[in-house]
Amino acid sequence: MSAEVNLSIAYKWFEAFNLHNLEQLLSLYDDHAQHFSPKLKVRKPETNGLVIGKEAMREWWKDAFDRLPTLHYKVTSLTANSDRVFMEYVRNVEGEEEMLVAEVLEIRDAKIILSRVYHG
């Protein structure tokens, strides 16, 4: 895929996430995609921070959207190449301090196959 196509996937990712549109978000992922997050490791230690497959991601993000109705991400930087997008954004939740986040989306055949979250 081209960097431009991968950037468009990242923009769709942010749109779906900020709308809390779980189905739209999951449609961007491969059925067997993996997602790693330090928040996941804390809230669900048995996962060691990693979930695999859309159903596991659905469960994780549904819980997040239900618990955090004001969760919103503000993009600060996107850098893409033919295989991945490096995203920097600010995590906002009403009543919580802003958090700087970096996330990498690895993309193959126009689907996200792996997402890795890093907190600053």
Side-chain angles (χ1 to χ4, degrees), residues 1 13 21 34 108 118:
M1 306 279 27
W13 188 95
N21 186 329
Q34 299 181 23
R108 183 182 310 137
Y118 306 92

Side-chain angles (χ1 to χ4, degrees), residues 85-115:
V85 180
F86 182 81
M87 310 187 305
E88 294 177 285
Y89 54 91
V90 178
R91 177 188 181 271
N92 289 296
V93 174
E94 202 171 287
E96 293 185 16
E97 196 171 313
E98 286 185 346
M99 178 184 288
L100 299 176
V101 181
E103 185 161 351
V104 176
L105 304 178
E106 292 192 21
I107 301 170
R108 183 182 310 137
D109 299 326
K111 292 288 185 183
I112 301 166
I113 59 168
L114 175 63
S115 48

Side-chain angles (χ1 to χ4, degrees), residues 7-119:
L7 274 177
S8 75
I9 291 169
Y11 283 117
K12 289 175 187 174
W13 188 95
F14 279 105
E15 178 183 14
F17 207 97
N18 286 332
L19 291 171
H20 294 199
N21 186 329
L22 191 52
E23 295 310 313
Q24 185 179 340
L25 180 63
L26 290 169
S27 75
L28 301 171
Y29 282 81
D30 181 81
D31 289 342
H32 307 289
Q34 299 181 23
H35 176 71
F36 176 82
S37 168
K39 291 253 183 219
L40 182 57
K41 192 172 187 174
V42 170
R43 283 204 55 85
K44 299 183 90 153
E46 70 278 9
T47 67
N48 204 29
L50 179 70
V51 289
I52 300 172
K54 283 187 180 182
E55 288 311 309
M57 286 186 276
R58 180 188 316 281
E59 181 182 315
W60 170 242
W61 285 319
K62 181 180 183 327
D63 177 63
F65 293 156
D66 289 347
R67 279 184 302 105
L68 306 166
T70 63
L71 178 62
H72 181 84
Y73 293 157
K74 180 183 174 201
V75 179
T76 56
S77 177
L78 296 175
T79 305
N81 65 24
S82 61
D83 300 322
R84 67 187 50 87
V85 180
F86 182 81
M87 310 187 305
E88 294 177 285
Y89 54 91
V90 178
R91 177 188 181 271
N92 289 296
V93 174
E94 202 171 287
E96 293 185 16
E97 196 171 313
E98 286 185 346
M99 178 184 288
L100 299 176
V101 181
E103 185 161 351
V104 176
L105 304 178
E106 292 192 21
I107 301 170
R108 183 182 310 137
D109 299 326
K111 292 288 185 183
I112 301 166
I113 59 168
L114 175 63
S115 48
R116 293 184 312 260
V117 180
Y118 306 92
H119 296 156

